Amino acid sequence: MKTKSPSSTSSSELGSDREGLIALPDATELRTSRVVRWFVLFGFASVTAGTGLTDTFFPVPRPRMALHQELDYAARQERAHVMDGSAARLLEYELRLTSRVRNTVAQPYSTFLYESLREPSAIVIRGEGDWLFMRERTLPPQRSDEDLAGRGSAAVAALDRRVHSLDVPMIVVPIPRKSVMHADKLPSGIDSRVGLDRVILDAIAARGVQMVDLLRLFQEQAKEGVYYPCDSHWSAASQLLAAEEIVRVAGRLVPDSERRTVVREGDAITPPGRLDLLKYMDVRLGTERLRELRRQGLHNYTIEMRSGAGAKFPEDLAVSRRNGRIAISGTSYSDGKFFSSFLGHYSQSPILNGAMSAADFAGQVRELLLRRAEFPGLELVVFEFPVHQLFFGRDERGLISLPDSLGLFMAENLPPHLESLKLPRGMQWGADLALHEFADVGGTEPNLIAGLSGGALFHTGDGIAAISIRGAARGPRSMIEVHVGGQRMRALWPEGADRVVLPLIDARAAAHSIRVLAHGTAGSAIRVDSLELVVEPGGDRTREIELGAPTTAGDGWTLRTDLADALPTRRFAALVADADFELPSGLTEIALQFADAERPSLHIPVQACDPSAALAIHLGAFAGLPLMSIELRGIGEPSPLEPSKRVLRLLD
Amino acid sequence: MVFASGVFLYYFLPLFLAAYYLTPKGWRNFTIAAASYVFYGWWRPDFVILMWVSTVIDYACGRRIERGRERGLRGKRWVALSLIVNLGLLGYFKYFNFGIDTLNQILAPYGFVPLDIARVVLPVGISFYTFQTLSYTVDVYNGAAKTVRNFRDFMCYVAMFPQLVAGPIVRYNAIADQLHDREHTADKFYRGVLCFQSGLAKKVLIADVLGGLVEQAFDGRMLGVGDSWFASLAFTFQLYFDFSGYSDMAIGLGLMMGFRLPVNFDRPLISKSITELWRRWHISLSSFLRDYLYVPLGGNRKGTTRTYVNLWLTMLIGGLWHGAAWTYVVWGIWHGSLLVIERLAGKRSLYSRTPAFVQIAITLCLITIGFTCFRALDLQHAGQLVGSMFGAVDSSNISAITVRPIHLVVMGTAAILVYGFPTTQSLVQRARLAWVIPLQLLFLLALIHLHHEDQVPFLYFQF
């Protein structure tokens, strides 16, 4: 039998008339009954108009948001404008958020997709077996490891400095990503950049932050899975391991023989609450399937009294105590309840559990310090944050945005020690605001307060240099923004405050330009009385170091001093030179040598810096070591300089 | 606004249809125009002004040409004005950035400081509506169409939201009669609903699902031979189902308003040659290019060599119409060259004697290679991908793509639909129960899927 080629077509198959328009048959050729026709029309009208009416008149409440989400949402509302379409997009977003129909159909459909096609929602990556990974935590932004590590570590260092300056001892616990610890479970084609977490942790350590290296700990010592397969938290075994390490690094480890409590190993069954990624995907599984997922071979651990079953657990070690001496503050990767009991076990100290799921980067530390008076016994803050929170995104202007919680924290907590920094040239005032007068800053466009062109201030980017603004703000929401190195930090001016000090955070040591701006919601106003660049040292000690006269070195010059006696330094020590300090010509390198012979000297390359630029150099991981020598190198001919022009200040 | 969004499906469309059928017949075109401005200006109201400029100028030019003709004049300057304004707007908004970037690339090796000029934002659908308004003036000038009766009708013609942003390109004389006299029947509306449902299902359940795979594969990574073919084929299917789905929705919406719009796709992926492909793929564009570019260039009337040059040039410009990037130019050149080769080979070539399925397979491979360039990030990436399709790849740098079960299911379904089913329009014509009932379920599934997934814009918006 001769068959018709699949490619042969006729005009009827095309479905058009001679003019190319869709052809419709005569009414006499109708092949569907009236009933079907009206069924289709009624169904179409019902699902389209019906959904619109249902969602309009019976919306569901807007889901709860974390602090950073609330801020983003508020910012989106403020910026919403008809002409650029942002108002329309916001309306669509709000309709989606409060859609009752969506709320009703999404969950069964997600479950169907997941169970029948093993298809997770877009926010999750499904790996080998039942392993699930949050997509945004797995795939870092398309920027180099060095850039991500530089910006992230600088932000952590700035926070660390400010918290310590408030006399709150803090230990930083960066949490390695699940997709790094279990990269072998990722599907092929998904590159989580497994080396990135190591680079970030090393960068944080290099900035002198006291840190617990859980990445190394887990890689070397984890005996079973570090994370639960269907969850974003550590397994109980990893929590136990991490708790011991944190307490050990903090110097508070109580020997086993002196502890009143012991660890008991439980079943190898995942707790029912530890399947949060299924919840995020809106997937609800049957009992049998859940039971299967929970049998993943990860043990449970509990803390019990050493004296045996039935013995009363000591009141002072019960979790989440207001009289806690060690506070966990962060994002609860460790799963608060168990982790705090493990910390309590190893330190035999009461624990204040201030961790919160999905919290913003510095949100919980901010919350803790705002309410510090409620916790008089607080001795140590364990600041835990997942590494992916350092993957700062870009705003609509293309600027990399530091977490708002960081800016808010900085504005609310003034550092007790500040040193003025004299610059070779003053900051240029913007035309948008006048000094000593309240100016309306409400609106979508930020108002320029002042700017400093590049080359005038070289700083290490970790918050050692800061902008101090005196003035006042009034109205519902007055924000200050600082832009440095293509990055933005913004902060709400606290009500009643006459000053805000925002650190300059940059990816690397550089002399980038600085811009300070103000904006806010309708009715917001800001008055600026003065603005200056300051140094934010760890303490109030100042020592002067005179460098030797310039000498020729290679094809350039060098200014050097070898200290007769090693100069002891404290944590957060910084070397500062302001405009009175002079250099023969362009600076190319700063080299510092410390008393610890086993450690190499610190070399800081310098680029695009004016000869008369102010310098603010934090000693990073070397701060705290005795300083032996300082050398500044540059290009060009050496020229004589007065001794008074060659004096650096060591602040700590 | 996009069709596959809650705001369109649940608010705009029901409100519009209610308003449309409540409006007296004489004002229905005005209702369409007003709703279209809301639809078009939803994300950027200022771009409506641009469309208005185009509308007013072409309306005025058409009237002037007609009045001139009454006095025995041809109205050349008015058609020239229309050409200058429309092509000027298109050129500025679509090709300005491309021109500056290219100039900077050319001048950079000679030490010139790159020109730093503010980027021009491309108004959505400008390529479609400028071609439409242009076709009106040119047709009036050539005597192929009568001038529009009133401005209301012309606004409706230019702005009609179903086909405004992604086609099909509707030539004025194709719907001139319908603008002032069209039939509204329950049957027409019913078939419009079926067509719209079918288009939405194609877009949401096939194109968008494949979109995730394609996005991953075309992110700049190096692919192995198998992956690069699979990803490129997935993109070919994605583009086809996305674009033909949009056309189906446009045609369906047109029917709901009583319009019969042009059919834009005729199972292009079963073509046995590139020549046949261009009779089946984006028919409204290919016929537009044929009538307004290829034929005016001389078509096949000026000798063999000139025919080849005209063909090649038409496809090159067709490529550039799709987007301001060298990848589109290369795609146009690829198709132009294949058309020339096919003409050179003639109808009795060895190729034409091979079995039909072999010809279909070879043509699909050629189409897929072309679309690989079309989708690539830049020329280097295109070269890399096409190279990897033929094994020219550094195996140490290969990064696999994640193919999930859903991708395989959708690819399989797409293949069955492409090779085993007739066009949506012919299914709509027949409207058999065995198709209508499953379609209702697929439509519901598409709506649920839309609720589940984030919105993915139509690919053809960017063109």
Side-chain angles (χ1 to χ4, degrees):
Chain A
M1 193 178 78
K2 195 176 175 184
T3 54
K4 200 173 167 187
S5 154
S7 65
S8 60
T9 56
S10 62
S11 62
S12 66
E13 191 168 342
L14 178 63
S16 65
D17 63 11
R18 277 190 299 177
E19 289 170 324
L21 304 176
I22 183 169
L24 295 177
D26 294 335
T28 50
E29 289 179 47
L30 282 178
R31 291 171 199 245
T32 42
S33 69
R34 273 170 189 268
V35 176
V36 174
R37 199 199 313 170
W38 286 109
F39 166 76
V40 169
L41 291 178
F42 178 75
F44 183 72
S46 303
V47 294
T48 52
T51 302
L53 289 169
T54 308
D55 288 351
T56 305
F57 295 108
F58 307 101
V60 291
R62 214 186 63 193
R64 278 181 58 200
M65 295 181 187
L67 170 75
H68 66 290
Q69 289 170 323
E70 284 283 3
L71 281 168
D72 282 346
Y73 186 65
R76 233 178 129 176
Q77 284 180 314
E78 283 162 27
R79 282 199 307 269
H81 202 269
V82 172
M83 291 312 282
D84 64 4
S86 53
R89 283 171 209 275
L90 183 66
L91 175 67
E92 290 180 35
Y93 174 68
E94 282 170 345
L95 287 174
R96 267 206 302 272
L97 278 185
T98 58
S99 166
R100 181 161 296 278
V101 175
R102 182 179 199 272
N103 210 265
T104 310
V105 300
Q107 186 257 318
Y109 184 67
S110 302
T111 308
F112 158 76
L113 279 184
Y114 186 75
E115 282 301 88
S116 57
L117 288 170
R118 320 297 298 148
E119 180 66 12
S121 81
I123 58 165
V124 167
I125 294 169
R126 184 175 168 272
E128 302 291 321
D130 282 305
W131 280 81
L132 300 172
F133 302 85
M134 289 292 280
R135 183 173 291 275
E136 66 169 25
R137 298 173 189 179
T138 303
L139 303 171
Q142 297 280 338
R143 298 203 300 272
S144 69
D145 287 5
E146 287 66 31
D147 183 66
L148 291 170
R151 292 178 196 281
S153 60
V156 174
L159 180 72
D160 186 45
R161 171 194 311 281
R162 187 68 66 91
V163 172
H164 276 90
S165 75
L166 301 169
D167 270 342
V168 180
M170 185 169 83
I171 188 161
V172 171
V173 186
I175 299 168
R177 290 174 294 153
K178 181 177 181 180
S179 53
V180 169
M181 301 316 307
H182 299 286
D184 57 323
K185 303 292 183 193
L186 284 169
S188 60
I190 297 290
D191 181 10
S192 66
R193 288 164 63 181
V194 283
L196 175 60
D197 290 26
R198 179 77 270 147
V199 177
I200 291 177
L201 264 65
D202 287 349
I204 293 171
R207 296 221 188 239
V209 176
Q210 193 189 4
M211 183 192 82
V212 181
D213 191 343
L214 291 183
L215 176 60
R216 184 158 292 133
L217 177 83
F218 287 152
Q219 282 171 337
E220 289 172 1
Q221 293 184 38
K223 292 190 181 74
E224 53 184 56
V226 173
Y227 283 86
Y228 292 113
C230 298
D231 194 274
S232 51
H233 294 84
W234 296 333
S235 64
S238 304
Q239 290 182 44
L240 200 61
L241 199 59
E244 185 177 9
E245 180 69 1
I246 290 167
V247 172
R248 191 187 62 73
V249 172
R252 304 179 70 109
L253 187 67
V254 174
D256 188 32
S257 57
E258 295 173 23
R259 292 181 206 146
R260 289 171 288 163
T261 49
V262 288
V263 177
R264 295 259 184 258
E265 186 177 301
D267 306 330
I269 290 187
T270 301
R274 290 282 63 98
L275 299 159
D276 69 359
L277 292 177
L278 294 174
K279 198 173 79 183
Y280 294 158
M281 289 193 297
D282 229 351
V283 168
R284 253 173 242 177
L285 303 178
T287 320
E288 211 30 61
R289 180 86 173 96
L290 282 175
R291 197 170 293 156
E292 180 195 327
L293 286 178
R294 289 177 57 201
R295 279 194 221 103
Q296 286 157 328
L298 299 171
H299 289 85
N300 288 309
Y301 294 91
T302 47
I303 305 298
E304 292 174 8
M305 291 305 294
R306 186 182 289 277
S307 45
K312 195 168 179 291
F313 201 80
E315 186 69 17
D316 59 323
L317 290 189
V319 295
S320 213
R321 302 286 308 165
R322 272 184 183 266
N323 65 343
R325 276 188 269 159
I326 300 175
I328 319 169
S329 187
T331 52
S332 180
Y333 260 59
S334 43
D335 180 14
K337 188 179 154 196
F338 288 103
F339 189 59
S340 46
S341 69
F342 296 161
L343 282 173
H345 164 72
Y346 285 113
S347 65
Q348 294 292 294
S349 300
I351 304 297
L352 172 69
N353 186 359
M356 184 195 248
S357 62
D360 191 8
F361 172 64
Q364 289 313 108
V365 174
R366 174 179 170 243
E367 187 78 18
L368 184 76
L369 295 192
L370 279 174
R371 297 168 51 198
R372 198 183 161 194
E374 296 174 34
F375 317 116
L378 190 63
E379 292 168 7
L380 174 72
V381 175
V382 176
F383 170 43
E384 54 168 25
F385 66 91
V387 164
H388 78 261
Q389 282 193 343
L390 301 179
F391 299 163
F392 309 136
R394 288 183 191 274
D395 70 4
E396 66 283 358
R397 290 164 289 179
L399 290 167
I400 293 168
S401 324
L402 289 170
D404 287 331
S405 55
L406 185 66
L408 295 178
F409 173 83
M410 295 297 179
E412 288 161 356
N413 294 281
L414 292 179
H417 310 296
L418 283 175
E419 287 281 331
S420 294
L421 198 56
K422 216 188 291 174
L423 297 174
R425 53 181 181 273
M427 292 192 83
Q428 285 197 314
W429 289 96
D432 299 340
L433 299 181
L435 270 177
H436 308 295
E437 286 173 24
F438 270 106
D440 178 9
V441 293
T444 51
E445 285 300 311
N447 306 274
L448 181 68
I449 299 177
L452 179 71
S453 54
L457 168 64
F458 181 84
H459 60 104
T460 39
D462 47 9
I464 183 64
I467 290 274
S468 168
I469 309 165
R470 283 192 182 277
R474 65 182 184 208
R477 192 182 284 269
S478 305
M479 308 277 281
I480 294 287
E481 268 191 33
V482 178
H483 299 180
V484 190
Q487 188 167 269
R488 177 204 81 184
M489 172 190 271
R490 65 178 181 188
L492 206 60
W493 191 305
E495 210 174 326
D498 62 355
R499 188 183 202 190
V500 287
V501 179
L502 297 177
L504 302 179
I505 297 175
D506 204 341
R508 59 194 170 87
H512 287 135
S513 62
I514 300 162
R515 276 158 60 86
V516 186
L517 305 102
H519 65 97
T521 48
S524 301
I526 278 182
R527 189 193 76 219
V528 176
D529 295 333
S530 68
L531 186 147
E532 63 173 340
L533 278 158
V534 293
V535 177
E536 195 182 319
D540 55 0
R541 190 166 68 172
T542 302
R543 285 165 289 170
E544 293 189 342
I545 304 168
E546 188 186 313
L547 299 181
T551 56
T552 305
D555 49 2
W557 53 261
T558 177
L559 282 172
R560 185 181 173 91
T561 186
D562 289 299
L563 300 160
D565 297 312
L567 199 57
T569 65
R570 296 178 189 151
R571 229 186 131 197
F572 302 111
L575 273 176
V576 172
D578 46 24
D580 296 337
F581 185 84
E582 279 189 13
L583 293 169
S585 54
L587 184 64
T588 56
E589 189 182 46
I590 300 166
L592 306 166
Q593 204 176 349
F594 298 86
D596 188 344
E598 287 187 6
R599 300 181 76 167
S601 46
L602 175 63
H603 290 263
I604 301 167
V606 182
Q607 277 181 340
C609 190
D610 296 351
S612 53
L615 307 175
I617 313 292
H618 175 230
L619 303 188
F622 295 90
L625 295 177
L627 188 60
M628 291 296 291
S629 74
I630 302 169
E631 188 174 348
L632 272 59
R633 296 174 192 142
I635 47 169
E637 289 294 313
S639 54
L641 296 171
E642 287 175 36
S644 63
K645 304 275 187 191
R646 295 185 250 125
V647 177
L648 288 170
R649 284 183 291 155
L650 179 66
L651 308 178
D652 62 358
Chain B
M1 207 181 289
V2 289
F3 293 161
S5 67
V7 74
F8 178 81
L9 290 164
Y10 309 131
Y11 298 93
F12 181 87
L13 185 59
L15 285 173
F16 163 73
L17 289 173
Y20 179 77
Y21 281 100
L22 288 173
T23 308
K25 264 194 174 176
W27 283 88
R28 282 183 178 170
N29 285 351
F30 179 77
T31 308
I32 294 175
S36 299
Y37 291 137
V38 173
F39 177 89
Y40 187 70
W42 183 247
W43 283 342
R44 281 299 296 260
D46 47 343
F47 286 158
V48 175
I49 297 165
L50 205 64
M51 187 162 57
W52 248 76
V53 170
S54 204
T55 309
V56 170
I57 292 211
D58 282 292
Y59 177 74
C61 287
R63 302 289 292 185
R64 291 284 174 176
I65 292 167
E66 190 189 37
R67 275 189 213 167
R69 194 165 292 145
E70 286 164 6
R71 297 201 304 269
L73 300 169
R74 283 203 70 199
K76 211 169 187 172
R77 59 184 168 154
W78 296 110
V79 80
L81 175 68
S82 168
L83 279 167
I84 289 165
V85 170
N86 283 299
L87 296 181
L89 286 175
L90 187 63
Y92 174 71
F93 283 99
K94 193 155 184 173
Y95 302 105
F96 182 81
N97 295 342
F98 177 57
I100 295 293
D101 291 346
T102 307
L103 193 68
N104 283 340
Q105 277 173 10
I106 292 169
L107 295 179
Y110 302 102
F112 284 89
V113 178
L115 294 170
D116 185 15
I117 299 171
R119 310 296 287 179
V120 176
V121 180
L122 176 67
V124 167
I126 191 169
S127 312
F128 289 92
Y129 74 73
T130 48
F131 269 31
Q132 284 198 179
T133 54
L134 201 57
S135 81
Y136 165 73
T137 330
V138 173
D139 282 353
V140 168
Y141 174 75
N142 288 333
K146 287 180 185 169
T147 46
V148 67
R149 284 182 177 189
N150 58 49
F151 188 60
R152 224 164 40 206
D153 288 354
F154 194 64
M155 282 197 306
C156 171
Y157 162 67
V158 177
M160 201 192 297
F161 73 85
Q163 37 66 250
L164 175 62
V165 289
I169 299 167
V170 182
R171 284 146 76 164
Y172 176 70
N173 57 9
I175 61 157
D177 294 339
Q178 298 181 59
L179 277 172
H180 57 86
D181 183 22
R182 57 184 181 274
E183 198 184 17
H184 297 88
T185 65
D187 180 62
K188 215 175 193 181
F189 195 98
Y190 162 67
R191 286 170 201 278
V193 168
L194 294 181
C195 210
F196 181 82
Q197 290 176 323
S198 173
L200 188 79
K202 281 162 82 173
K203 151 81 181 157
V204 174
L205 299 178
I206 296 178
D208 288 358
V209 175
L210 291 179
L213 175 73
V214 170
E215 205 165 300
Q216 179 203 152
F218 283 79
D219 66 357
R221 69 180 70 194
M222 292 283 275
L223 298 174
V225 178
D227 274 357
S228 52
W229 276 105
F230 187 78
S232 299
L233 195 61
F235 176 63
T236 304
F237 281 167
Q238 184 206 355
L239 191 59
Y240 170 61
F241 280 95
D242 189 281
F243 194 16
S244 72
Y246 189 93
S247 292
D248 290 347
M249 283 190 267
I251 292 166
L253 289 166
L255 285 172
M256 290 183 215
M257 300 176 216
F259 282 101
R260 290 190 304 117
L261 298 181
V263 172
N264 214 17
F265 288 88
D266 180 19
R267 303 178 71 199
L269 300 182
I270 61 164
S271 301
K272 288 181 284 187
S273 66
I274 298 298
T275 310
E276 188 184 341
L277 172 82
W278 282 103
R279 286 191 212 114
R280 292 169 174 273
W281 176 277
H282 205 170
I283 299 165
S284 63
L285 174 70
S286 54
S287 60
F288 187 98
L289 291 175
R290 182 194 63 211
D291 296 345
Y292 295 96
L293 188 61
Y294 178 69
V295 172
L297 281 171
N300 57 6
R301 303 184 308 276
K302 297 194 173 175
T304 316
T305 313
R306 185 65 189 272
T307 302
Y308 296 150
V309 171
N310 290 343
L311 206 55
W312 196 83
L313 208 59
T314 303
M315 293 314 294
L316 179 122
I317 293 170
L320 205 54
W321 175 86
H322 279 82
W326 289 107
T327 47
Y328 298 117
V329 174
V330 169
W331 178 75
I333 289 172
W334 171 252
H335 277 272
S337 306
L338 290 172
L339 287 174
V340 169
I341 291 166
E342 281 179 6
R343 281 224 175 193
L344 280 169
K347 286 181 179 168
R348 292 184 182 175
S349 64
L350 185 66
Y351 174 79
S352 62
R353 289 196 290 264
T354 55
F357 76 89
V358 175
Q359 292 183 32
I360 292 170
I362 291 173
T363 306
L364 182 64
C365 289
L366 295 173
I367 296 168
T368 303
I369 291 168
F371 279 138
T372 306
C373 297
F374 190 91
R375 179 61 174 77
L377 303 173
D378 50 37
L379 279 186
Q380 193 190 354
H381 184 224
Q384 199 182 76
L385 282 172
V386 174
S388 63
M389 289 167 97
F390 294 96
V393 60
D394 176 5
S395 55
S396 60
N397 284 333
I398 286 177
S399 173
I401 52 172
T402 312
V403 181
R404 302 199 301 265
I406 198 167
H407 296 139
L408 296 174
V409 170
V410 170
M411 279 291 273
T413 310
I416 291 168
L417 290 175
V418 165
Y419 295 106
F421 279 78
T423 61
T424 307
Q425 288 72 33
S426 62
L427 287 168
V428 166
Q429 276 182 338
R430 293 171 207 167
R432 289 201 172 111
L433 205 59
W435 177 71
V436 172
I437 298 302
L439 179 64
Q440 301 312 301
L441 298 176
L442 287 173
F443 175 62
L444 275 181
L445 190 64
L447 293 180
I448 295 170
H449 194 83
L450 264 182
H451 280 301
H452 169 77
E453 290 288 309
D454 276 335
Q455 190 176 296
V456 182
F458 285 101
L459 288 183
Y460 254 72
F461 269 25
Q462 58 187 297
F463 308 132

